[in-house]
Amino acid sequence: MPIRCLIKRLKRHATLVHVKDYRALASFVQENVLGKKPSKYQLCTALNCCAKTQNSSLGSQIHAKIVHIGFDQNLYINSSLINAHVKCGSMGDAMKVFRGIELHDEVSWTSMICGLSQNRQGGKALCLFKEMLATVVRPNCVTYVSVISACTEQESVYRCGELLHAHVIILGHESNNFVVSSLIDYYSKCGRMDKTVVLFGSCISDYVVLNTMISAYNHNQQGEEALKLFRKMLDENVNLSEHTLTSILDACGALTVLQQGKQVHALVTKLGSDYNTFVVGALMDMYSKCGNIDEACHVFDLASYKNNILWTSLITTYAQSGRGVDALKIFDHLLMEKRFYPDHVCFTIVLTACNHSGLIDKGISYFKKMITDYNLAPEIDQYACLIDLYARKGDLKSAKKLMEEMPFYANAVMWSSLLSSCKEYGNVELGTEAAYKLFELEPHSPAPYLVLADIYAAAGLWNRVQSIRKLMDENGIRKSLAGWSRVEVDRMR
DNA sequence: GTAGGGTTAG
């Protein structure tokens, strides 16, 4: 089969690459591309396939061939090579190729920026973008899509999406739906639904923009709005993708609307989307949030292909049904069998399960194992879990030390953990520091004021309680529960 | 004649 036909077939199965195609591709490339001197075009096409099928060993063989033939300054080939390495997660190799390019164009820059962004290295992506701005090569809308999505990664100084939005407006990229989707996603993850709604209202939406909007509502606890939009999509016969189904199941779970969740399940079966692990994971999540753990497990059992995502979903199912100990048993069992490679998401679930089950020391040892046994650099979410573990144990010193020494800026979740534990263990000094940090980070939230007042009251510091009340009045903070978001109430525990 | 980078989901 000619290589172009193979690509067409692979594109048709964007999510699930057929094993048959994959084997055919690998042997085709080995025989016809690596055997004799391939053309530049063939090499690009072959690398494109390596990227799509995440065939890292073939990618490396082609890389060697490129160097051997001497095509290593061709920008088309280098961009494809960067992309292939990136899609296989070989960031070091991608960066070597990138740095070896003598004269860059916007595609080679964008390939690397995008690669960093897709591999959870948003900070580095932004640095590279700044480096690009200092050259004569100008970013285009594809570059902006990559760099904006890099900003959504974590709450920190990297969050300069608004500045990038301004660039986009000036350069006239605002009508590009890829750009619009990345901006909607960015603003929704910053809690800026006002901006999100304006962007959505002023674009000619396609199915990806609609999917992004549904997940924006989900991120901001507006499941009803997500369902409304989904119904509109059904009425207007908009193409439903696996992303749509995953997000809408998420909304059903958050709202615990089992009947509607079941209807979506029927739709999943009808559309034949039950091969997709994200959809299956979302179904399990929906059932377990609706309290139907048996059905969640049943969905898992029926899944023909069980990968890391689905195993993580199973652990999540038990963890969020209050069966943290069982969740950890499954996790330990999978680790022993060595057919499971836990990732960051999985460790977050496991650490949270430890926390909720009161298994503090076990959680701390998992965190260490994550680094030593699985070679994973902890991200902000796992640090937040560890800080919470120390804080709940009453080891406030270690929690604080970690917040100072970790490679991220401490966020509101961490300061809230610390503040709650200060209340629990009666630490006035640290509690004051944590609360004042939260006043800055979340200026409209009444929670830290009230917790700090509780800490002062428990310590008999009535003057200070009075001063907090005064401060609330001065800053216009309302005390009633009605105005609080669900997140704030949850954090108060 | 043929070739490169992009948004949304655990």
Side-chain angles (χ1 to χ4, degrees), chain A residues 21-72:
Chain A
D21 283 346
Y22 177 88
R23 285 196 192 126
L25 168 73
S27 62
F28 181 88
V29 170
Q30 262 150 357
E31 283 164 26
N32 296 288
V33 180
L34 292 177
K36 50 193 174 190
K37 184 177 172 181
S39 70
K40 293 168 191 167
Y41 309 105
Q42 275 183 313
L43 287 167
C44 280
T45 312
L47 285 167
N48 191 357
C49 288
C50 293
K52 286 199 169 66
T53 56
Q54 299 189 330
N55 191 335
S56 124
S57 71
L58 191 56
S60 300
Q61 287 180 62
I62 296 173
H63 189 167
K65 191 82 182 175
I66 288 164
V67 177
H68 180 69
I69 302 172
F71 283 159
D72 49 352

Side-chain angles (χ1 to χ4, degrees), chain A residues 84 90 195 219 406 424 457:
Chain A
S90 316
K195 292 256 188 189
H219 273 293
M406 66 177 179
E424 177 88 25

